[in-house]
């Protein structure tokens, strides 16, 4: 090593007169620690920032070896490195303060003579910690995203995708590089591609949430139905930053729904055919018996008695078939309302007219014009079931039917004066296959009131009963004037 | 000279045809029967217009719905009143307001509905 020529004080008095105030001024302004040292490493300048960072006062620092001073900040450096110039970033330091610093040093030279060096210590703790926090947040997000069972993606403000989680990449069997940008769209089924892109871009332009379904190729080549929900995301300053999306494989769910739909369609079709086939032969039976009733009217012999037997048998058969069809439709969930406008009073009167039976008179007591919108065949079935019930348990006394207008609601009231229902039975009678009395005294399925209630409820209405044993029962159907279509 | 019938029955089921004819004739109505929509169109083309048509819905060759289209398109038939009589459990999605009866109906309902359209 070349012997060092020591320069004790290379500055003239004039130079010093300029340099010292400049140094003092910079000292005050600087947030960076500044230390100057001579060729032996002895410190001859130690600014305020250095004092604050290291906790070593200027008085104690001056004259100290700069390496010792650095050690007081827990920084190890060679004098050679300091003297010849260096730069180190994000060094951990620990003095009066703990953190990270950028350390740089440059030689002090005058007229080609190196007589020491200056080192500058910039506290970058905040930046480093912020960066670490961001990195941690980022890595936490990625861990979460990768551990998620759903397929996640993210796009920038330009619509191009910038991120796919591991679940996505494992699903498609492709690399992030392949998927990024618009690479992912290569996996979308060509039949769904256009609609998928249209919805995505339309939502993107309006910055709205979207939810789309499309088929995406899985790693094994099978196209799976994906439900993809995208939500716009915004930067902290409120500017639009793109989208974040999550997808789930809904292939199995769709298949189940399709199967179910097909089953419902199949059941619907079967019940329709069954209804047609069961009702059609009842028609000639009914008309033929009615003709026989007319022909034998006024006679009182065996033939008349047989005709009445037939008449009742056909009526009972008809009622049973209708009950079974209602039961099948309700059980199959086929309770959608087929709405049409009509006068409720008129339809109730029509149904009542059909009960011109010898067993018990059925009369309309109150009648109010009640226009509205309902499912006509349901209304007919409800009234028919209630009147049948009234006739059956009415003890031969008249069954009274009334239609009452209550503004937004309409009531159909069916009152009998028969055996009545005990309070404890009044809820039970609306259950399937239930009746308040024993099977041996009254025939039938015990379905009528259950059907009535199911149909009334499917039209958004309610059915109530008031009754006392021995005094008869009053059933009130409370219907909204207009039923929502659909279900 | 051919006189107009009261009711043209369009119905594919033989038993239902026969009972309607028997029921209506017993009450003094003149009735003609055709087995489907296409046969009804042929019948209409060859006869004076009936005073009403009683129409089944599900029939082979030409359904009730298809028949209604043809009937409405022809100005000399379009004003003949139609009553639909079907065993279908659903209400029919017909374009115009039609009287709809679901099988089975009683003799009295049958006679009433014809009387309402034909008069006595």
């Amino acid at each position: 090593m070349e012997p060092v020529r020591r320069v004790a004080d290379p500055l003239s008095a004039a130079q010093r007169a300029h340099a010292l105030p400049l140094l003092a001024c910079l000292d005050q302004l600087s947030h960076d620690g500044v230390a100057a040292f001579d060729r032996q490493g002895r410190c001859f300048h130690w600014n305020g920032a250095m004092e604050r960072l290291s906790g070593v006062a200027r008085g104690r620092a001056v004259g100290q070896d700069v390496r010792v001073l650095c050690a007081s900040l827990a920084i190890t450096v060679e004098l050679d490195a300091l003297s010849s110039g260096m730069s180190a970033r994000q060094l951990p330091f620990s003095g009066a303060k703990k953190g990270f610093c950028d350390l740089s040093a440059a030689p002090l030279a005058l007229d080609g003579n190196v007589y020491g060096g200056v080192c500058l210590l910039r506290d970058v703790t905040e930046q480093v910690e912020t960066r670490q926090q961001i990195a941690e947040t980022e890595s936490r997000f990625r861990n979460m995203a990768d551990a998620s069972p759903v397929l996640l993606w993210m796009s920038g403000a330009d619509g191009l995708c910038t991120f796919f989680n591991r679940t996505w990449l494992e699903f498609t069997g492709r690399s992030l590089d392949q998927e990024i940008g618009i690479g992912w769209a290569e996996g979308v089924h060509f039949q769904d591609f256009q609609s998928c892109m249209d919805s995505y871009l339309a939502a993107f332009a309006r910055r709205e949430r979207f939810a789309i379904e499309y088929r995406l190729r899985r790693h094994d080549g099978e196209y799976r139905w994906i439900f993809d929900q995208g939500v716009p995301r915004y930067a902290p300053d409120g500017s639009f930053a793109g989208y974040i999306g999550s997808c789930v494989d809904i292939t199995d769910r769709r298949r189940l729904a399709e199967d179910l739909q097909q089953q419902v369609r199949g059941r619907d079709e079967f019940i329709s055919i069954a209804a047609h086939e069961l009702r059609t032969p009842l028609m000639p039976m009914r008309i033929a018996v009615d003709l026989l009733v007319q022909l034998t009217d006024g006679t009182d012999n065996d033939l008349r008695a047989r005709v009445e037997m037939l008449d009742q048998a056909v009526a009972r058969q008809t009622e049973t078939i209708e009950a079974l069809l209602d039961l099948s439709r309700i059980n199959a969930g086929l309770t959608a309302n087929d709405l049409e406008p009509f006068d409720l009073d008129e339809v109730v009167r029509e149904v009542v007219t059909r009960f011109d039976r010898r067993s018990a008179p059925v009369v309309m007591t109150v009648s109010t014009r009640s226009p509205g919108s309902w499912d006509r065949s349901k209304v007919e079935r409800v009234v028919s079931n209630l009147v049948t019930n009234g006739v059956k348990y009415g003890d031969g006394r008249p069954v009274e039917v009334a239609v009452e207008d209550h503004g937004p609601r309409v009531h159909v009231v069916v009152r009998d004066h028969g055996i009545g229902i005990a309070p404890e039975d009044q809820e039970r009678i609306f259950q399937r296959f239930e009746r308040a009395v024993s099977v041996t005294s009254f025939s039938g399925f015990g379905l009528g009131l259950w059907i009535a209630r199911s149909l009334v409820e499917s039209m958004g209405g309610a059915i109530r009963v008031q009754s006392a044993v021995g005094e008869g029962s009053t059933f009130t159907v409370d219907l909204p004037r207009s039923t929502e279509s659909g279900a | 000279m051919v006189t107009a019938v009261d009711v043209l029955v369009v119905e594919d089921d033989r038993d239902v045809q026969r009972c309607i004819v028997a029921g209506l004739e017993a009450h003094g109505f003149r009735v003609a029967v055709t087995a489907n929509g296409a046969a009804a169109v042929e019948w209409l083309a060859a006869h004076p217009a009936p005073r009403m048509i009683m129409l089944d819905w599900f029939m082979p060759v030409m359904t009730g719905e298809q028949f209604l289209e043809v009937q409405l398109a022809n100005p000399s038939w379009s004003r003949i009143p139609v009553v639909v009589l079907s065993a279908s459990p659903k209400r029919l999605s017909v374009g115009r307001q039609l009287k709809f009866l679901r099988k089975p109906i009683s003799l009295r309902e049958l006679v009433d509905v014809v009387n309402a359209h034909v008069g006595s």
Side-chain angles (χ1 to χ4, degrees), chain A residues 141-309:
Chain A
F141 161 73
R142 271 175 213 256
N143 282 338
M144 266 167 57
D146 285 342
S148 162
V150 300
L151 286 62
L152 296 174
W153 56 266
M154 236 158 62
S155 76
D158 55 3
L160 298 175
C161 286
T162 53
F163 170 78
F164 293 89
N165 71 343
R166 193 188 301 153
T167 320
W168 175 293
L169 299 175
E170 279 171 0
F171 179 91
T172 59
R174 283 156 60 96
S175 70
L176 184 59
D177 285 344
Q178 285 175 301
E179 298 294 62
I180 234 151
I182 52 161
W184 64 275
E186 287 168 21
V188 176
H189 195 283
F190 74 96
Q191 285 176 343
D192 304 332
F193 182 82
Q194 201 55 51
S195 65
C196 172
M197 282 301 163
D198 288 350
S199 321
Y200 177 63
L201 294 174
F204 207 94
R206 294 192 301 268
R207 295 181 182 175
E208 281 173 354
R209 289 168 159 267
F210 66 82
I212 44 181
E213 287 182 17
Y214 54 87
R215 278 162 292 179
L216 184 68
R217 194 171 53 224
R218 200 167 58 182
H219 57 86
D220 58 2
E222 188 183 327
Y223 280 96
R224 303 286 291 178
W225 278 101
I226 296 294
F227 177 67
D228 190 342
Q229 271 182 300
V231 185
R233 58 195 184 90
Y234 294 91
D237 65 359
S239 64
F240 174 65
Y243 270 79
I244 183 154
S246 60
C247 317
V248 280
D249 185 340
I250 52 160
T251 312
D252 296 339
R253 202 194 301 166
R254 271 179 78 110
R255 215 167 272 160
L256 273 177
E258 275 165 23
D259 287 355
L260 207 67
Q261 258 176 11
Q262 205 159 354
Q263 277 175 27
V264 169
R265 263 201 304 276
R267 258 179 297 184
D268 189 9
E269 205 177 324
F270 174 78
I271 295 169
S272 295
I273 293 168
H276 190 268
E277 294 306 304
L278 288 167
R279 282 173 181 153
T280 299
L282 289 172
M283 175 84 190
M285 281 163 73
R286 178 77 268 156
I287 299 287
V289 168
D290 288 347
L291 279 168
L292 283 173
V293 168
Q294 283 188 349
L295 285 171
T296 55
D297 194 25
T299 63
D300 186 17
N301 52 27
D302 278 0
L303 180 62
R304 177 65 185 185
R306 304 291 177 272
V307 166
E308 276 175 10
M309 269 171 62

Side-chain angles (χ1 to χ4, degrees), chain A residues 5 7 9-12 15 107-116:
Chain A
R5 193 167 71 90
V7 182
D9 188 354
L11 299 182
S12 68
Q15 283 170 326
L108 261 178
L110 196 69
D111 302 331
N113 291 320
V114 173
Y115 60 94

Side-chain angles (χ1 to χ4, degrees), chain B residues 39-58:
Chain B
V41 171
E42 271 177 44
W43 189 95
L44 284 174
H47 297 83
R51 297 171 75 184
M52 70 169 287
I53 295 169
M54 189 161 279
L55 184 67
D56 187 20
W57 204 244
F58 295 106

